[in-house]
Amino acid sequence: MKKNLLINIDDVSGIKADKESHAKEIWRRLRKNKTAMAGMLILGIFVLVALFADVIAPYETAVAQDSSMRLQPPSAEHFFGTDRLGRDVFARVVQGARVSLSIGLFTSLGSLIIAVIFGSLAGYYGGKTETLILRIVDVFMCIPSILLSLAVVAALGPNMINLLIAMMISAVPGKIRLIHSVILSVGDQEYVDAARVYGCSDARIIFKYILPNALGVIIVDTTMGIAGTILGAASLSFIGMGIQPPAPEWGSMLSEASEFLRRAPYLLVFPGVSILLSAMSCNLLGDGIRDAFDPKLKD
Amino acid sequence: MYKYVIKRVLLTIPVLLGVLLIVFTIMSLTPGEPARLILGASADQAAIDAFNQLHGLDATFPERLWNYLKDIVTDLDFGRSYRSDKPVFDMILGRFPITFMLATLSIFFSAVIGIVLGVVSAVKQYSKLDATLTVTAMIFASIPSFWLGMMLILGFSLNLHMFPSHGADSWQSYVLPVLTLAVSAAAGLLRMTRSAMLETIRMEYIRTARAKGASPRDVIYKHALKNALLPVVTSLGISFGTSLGGAVVIETVFSIPGLGMLIVNAIRDKDFPLVMASILFLAALFCLVMLIVDLIYAFIDPRIKSKYLN
Amino acid sequence: MKKRFAIVMTLIMTFSLLAGCSSESEQSGSAEENKLILGIESELTSFDVENGDFALDFVIRRCLYEPLVHVDPVSGEEEMRLAESYTVSDDKTVYTFKLRPDVKMHDGSTLTADDVVYSLNLTKESSYVGKNLSAMKQARAVDDHTVEVTLNAPYAAFMKNLSMCFVLSAEAHRAGTDAFNEEPVGCGPYKFVSYENDNKITLEAFDEYYRDTAPIETIEIRMFADTSSLAIAMESGELDAAAGINPVDYENVVSNDNIVVDEIATTKFCMLSMNEETEPFNDKKVRQAINYAIDRQFVLDASREGKGNPTSLLFNTAMTCTEGVEEYEYDPEKAKQLLEEAGISLPLTLNTKLSTYEGCKTEAEAIQESLANVGINVEIEILESGALYGGLASGDIPFSLTRLGTSAVDPDQYYNMVSENGFSSLNYSRYVNDEVEELMVQARSEKDEEERDTLYREALEIIQDDAPYAVIYEMPDLNASVKNLNVNWGLNGMYYLYDFSWK
C-alpha cells in the first residue's frame, strides 16, 4: 500500500520523470559555454597527467640528484630546468600534479560527506540541534583558516595525511553552512511535506528529494573548493608545513625557489603556473556548471 | 537597536570561549614539548623539568585549561611568551598595527577596484570589456598569493628597483604587499559584485518594465547597486577577517614584522600563551567586524532594520 | 547623499593612513655621521645578560655589557676587564677577583661587587647560558670591590667560560625585568637608546666607558626575518654591514665593488647521529660505511653553494688537537665492502627514518641520495625542532641530521656528545666508550696545554674510529661590509662592535 503512494508522490513532484532530460539539458548548456569547456579541458589534462604521472615522468626521475647539473635553465634535456640538487623540474612538476590533485579531490569529497551529515542534521531537524551545530561552525569560522590549518599541521606533524586533515578541518565549517542553507531553502517545498506525511524516513527524504535539487549548488561549491584546497595546500607547503621531502609538491618547490629568485628565476615559473592553471580550471568549470544549472542568472 | 548590539556582543563570549577551547586542544595534541624547543638541544632533563614546572606544563589538560581561564578572568593575564618571557598582549599589540595597516589598505583598494570594476562589468555586460574583466578576475582569483608576491618582487624590486622587497619602514614598502593582497581579494569582489548586480538589475528591470514600460536606467542601476551591496558588504567583512590571517603568507614573502609572522613562529615554537592570545585576539576582532557588518546591513536595508527594532 | 558622504570619508581615511606611515627609509649611514648600520638575520629575546641565545642576543650583550675578563678564544690569552687582577687558591677551586674601582654604569652609578655577584647568579640560573657557569658553586661579594667565586671542582676552561658572562646593573634589574628591558643598564662601551618596531635597535657610544670610548658614535641594528632580504638590503646600499649572508646570495653581494665579504670560521657543523642502541647502527662497520658513503662536497655544494669545509671530524678543525687525525674520504666502494663485511645484504631499506628539521632539508635530500647509491634506502622525516630534540634526548630518534655549534672553541664542549652523562642532552648517538670518557675527564682539569692537546687528540682518534656520528661539514659565517669600514668579525660569531671603525 505504502509503495503505491510513494510512486504517486514521484509523479506529482515530477522529479524522477524529469531527471533524465533535466540532466541532458544542463549538460547541453555546459557544452555551449566556451570558457567552462576550456576549464574542463585544462583540468582534464591535469587529471590525466596526475593519473599517468608514473608513465610520463616516473617518481625516480623526480628525485634523482645530479651534482653536475645543478641549477640549469630550461633546455632540451631538462624541459623546465634543474633545481639546486640537480633534479629535473619537469618531472617534479608532473609528480606534483598527482600530489596536489589528490589532496584537492580527497579533501573536497571528505569534507562534503561530513558537511552533508551535519548540515542535513542542522537544516532538517532545526531547533536545538541546528543551533548547536551552527554555533560550533561559527566558532570555527572565527579562526582564520590558514592559522587553523597551520595549528593542526604543527600539532600533528607535517605529512600528507595530516595536511589532508588540516585542509578538511578548514573546509568543513563553510560547507556545513552551505548544506544547511540549501536544505532550508529546498526543504520548504511542498513535496517534502508531502513525503513526510506519507511516512518516508528522514534520511530518504534528505537524500532522495532535497539534496538532488541542491545538486547544482553542491557541485559548484565542491569544484571551487578543489581550487581553494590546491591553493591552501600550496600555501602551507610554502611555509614549510606540508609534504615531506624529497616528494615533489608545487608549494614547497616554490619555497625552495624563493631563495634563488635572482640566480634562477625560471624555478618560479613552472610550479607557479601549474598551481594557477589547475586552480583556474576548477573555477572556470565551477562557474560554468553554475550557469548551466541556472541559466536565468546569465542573461 | 542597542538591545540588539548588546545581545550580539554578549553572544561573542561563548564563541570566543569555543575558539579558546579548540586552539587549546589542538596545541595540546602535539608530540613535541615547548621546553625542548625553547631551551635548545643541550638542555638536560632537570632544566626541562624546571621549565615545565615553572609554566605549569606538568598539570593535566583540564587543570591547565582551568588555570588559563582563571588567569584571564581574574587578572586579564594572558600569560607571558615561553620564548621571550614578555607579556603576550604587549607583543601582539606591538605587531598588530603593521598587519592592521596591511589588511586595511588591501581591503580598501580591493573594494575600490573590485566593486567599481564589478559594477562596470555588470552594466556593460557582453561587451569586450566585460569579457576581459571577467577573465582577468578569474586569473587573479586563482593565483597563489605568495607566487604573485614573489613575481612582483622579482619584477619591481630586483629588476626595476622601484619598491623595496621587504620590511615595513616606509610607505613604499607597503606597496607590493598591499598590491598582492588587494589583487586577489579584488578579483573575488569583482565577480561577486558583478553577479549580484546582474541578478538585481534583471529583477528590477522586469519589475519596472512590467509597471511602466520603459524606465530611466539611472533609477534601476542605483537601486540595483544598493541591493547588490548587501552580499558585497558581508563579503568585505569576511575578507577583512581572512586577510588578517591570510597576511601570514604575504608577511613571510615580504619579511614584514607583523602579527602573522609572530603567530607562525609562535605556532612552530609551540609557544602556547602567544598562540592562544593571538588567535583569540584575531577571532575577537573578526567577531567585531562581523557585528559592524551586520549593523551596516541594517543601516542600508530598512527591511532588516525594522526586524532588529522589534 | 549617503554615497557621497561615504566617498569623502574613505578619501579622508586613505590620506590619513598614508600620512601615518613612517617616513622614507634612510640612506645608508655614512662615515661622516660616524654611524654604523648593521643588518642581522636573527630574532631578539631580550636585553638581559642571560635571557636568550639568539645571535643578536649575544651581539647586544657584547655592546651593552662587560665581562670580568676577556679570554682569546683560540690562544687562551687572558685580558683583564672589570677585574683588574685575580688570584686562585692552591686547590684551584676558589677564584678571587679584585674589581676596578673606576667603572661607571650607564646610569651614572659605579660598579660594585654586588652587580657582579648578582649577574653571575642570574647567568648561572639561566637555562640558556647557565652552562657557562656550571662549574661554579657559588659567588659572593667579599667587599665592595672584591668577588670570590668558588667552583665545584678544578676546571681548566673556567676563565674561558667566564669571559662569556656579562655584568649588568643589579639595582636596575632588581626593579623588574620588564622595566629593565625598556632601559637596560650595563657598563659596556655602548648604551641603549631605543628599540622600535620590533626590528630596529639604536645604541650610542658611552662617554664614560672605562676604556677608550668606542670609535663609532651611533649603532643602528636592523633585524631581518630572512637572509634574502638581508642580502638585498646590503647590496642596495641600505646597510654598512650584514652579518649572516646566505651562501646562495653570496655571488650577488660580492659582485658589488663596494662590498667585501669575509668568511669567518665558526664552530657550527652539520652531522648525522646514529643511535648505537638500534639496529643496524649497533655495528661499527655500518657506521663507518655510512661515513664513507657520503659525498660531503656535493652536500655542501647543494645546500651551501660549497661555502664551508667538508669534514668528518667531530672536533672543530680550527683546534690544534685535530691535526693529524684521519678523515673519512668519499669512497662508496669501501662503504659497500664494509656493509658486506657486516653481513648486510643490499639493497637495504632502513626501518628508521632520517629525522631532521626544515633548515637541513637540502642536506638531508643529498645524503639520502648518497646512501641510496651504496644501496641503503631511507625515508626523510621533517620534524619541528621541539619534537626532534625531544626525541633525540629520549633516545627515540635513532637517525638524525642536525646542526650544532659550541659557544667556546674548546674540545671540552663536545664532552656531552660522547659521554654517558650526555645521554639526555647532546649524546644523540648514545655513544659510550670508557677510554674516551677517561681521556676527556682527565683533559678537563689538565692545566698544561700541550698535554691537554695530546689527550684530546687521542680521544678524537678513538671517536673517529668508532664513528658514532657522521659529521658532514663545518660552516663559516659570511659577513659583508662596505669597503671603507674597518671590521673585526672575530671568531665563531663573536665580534665586538667596539672594534669597528670608519677608515
Side-chain angles (χ1 to χ4, degrees), chain C residues 249-494:
Chain C
D249 300 309
Y250 176 78
E251 293 294 332
N252 287 312
V253 174
V254 114
S255 66
N256 183 328
D257 288 328
N258 195 30
I259 297 180
V260 163
V261 179
D262 295 308
E263 266 188 54
I264 312 296
T266 69
T267 56
K268 290 188 278 200
F269 65 103
C270 177
M271 66 172 204
L272 286 172
S273 76
M274 298 173 278
N275 191 325
E276 298 194 344
E277 293 167 3
T278 13
E279 296 226 9
F281 304 121
N282 48 354
D283 189 332
K284 183 160 95 168
K285 288 205 195 293
V286 173
R287 302 197 300 270
Q288 288 178 334
I290 290 180
N291 264 287
Y292 279 113
I294 297 175
D295 185 355
R296 292 175 170 80
Q297 187 61 55
F298 174 56
V299 176
L300 196 54
D301 287 341
S303 58
R304 296 184 57 82
E305 305 294 305
K307 291 259 167 264
N309 178 28
T311 174
S312 60
L313 298 184
L314 182 63
F315 292 0
N316 186 272
T317 54
M319 297 190 286
T320 45
C321 60
T322 59
E323 279 162 26
V325 181
E326 199 183 322
E327 292 245 21
Y328 284 98
E329 299 297 332
Y330 175 47
D331 196 340
E333 290 311 313
K334 184 113 190 251
K336 283 192 215 166
Q337 188 193 343
L338 279 168
L339 286 171
E340 270 178 47
E341 281 175 33
I344 310 253
S345 56
L346 301 171
L348 165 74
T349 305
L350 288 183
N351 285 330
T352 172
K353 296 196 191 164
L354 174 58
S355 310
T356 184
Y357 46 72
E358 184 70 28
C360 283
K361 187 169 109 154
T362 315
E363 286 89 334
E365 293 182 81
I367 289 173
Q368 188 185 41
E369 178 83 354
S370 283
L371 292 178
N373 285 338
V374 299
I376 301 179
N377 294 319
V378 67
E379 257 181 63
I380 298 177
E381 172 186 53
I382 302 235
L383 298 174
E384 287 309 296
S385 324
L388 183 64
Y389 291 135
L392 285 169
S394 58
D396 291 326
I397 294 182
F399 195 30
S400 82
L401 178 68
T402 51
R403 267 196 230 121
L404 289 179
T406 64
S407 40
V409 186
D410 183 84
D412 185 53
Q413 298 271 316
Y414 299 92
Y415 173 71
N416 278 322
M417 290 184 74
V418 295
S419 157
E420 207 169 341
N421 291 325
F423 265 24
S424 62
S425 57
L426 285 172
N427 194 342
Y428 300 156
S429 292
R430 304 258 146 166
Y431 171 64
V432 179
N433 183 307
D434 295 329
E435 245 190 285
V436 169
E437 177 78 27
E438 210 185 291
L439 286 165
M440 295 204 58
V441 168
Q442 196 188 340
R444 186 183 271 175
S445 34
E446 175 62 55
K447 262 288 191 180
D448 177 49
E449 282 304 318
E450 260 191 56
E451 180 60 28
R452 217 169 161 243
D453 227 45
T454 318
L455 288 169
Y456 278 124
R457 187 173 299 113
E458 258 188 71
L460 183 60
E461 273 165 358
I462 303 176
I463 294 172
Q464 289 302 117
D465 181 62
D466 280 339
Y469 301 99
V471 176
I472 315 288
Y473 63 71
E474 291 168 343
M475 48 189 270
D477 279 338
L478 293 171
N479 296 336
S481 55
V482 288
K483 283 216 160 86
N484 55 341
L485 182 67
N486 282 325
V487 293
N488 182 349
W489 293 108
L491 186 70
N492 199 21
M494 263 209 332

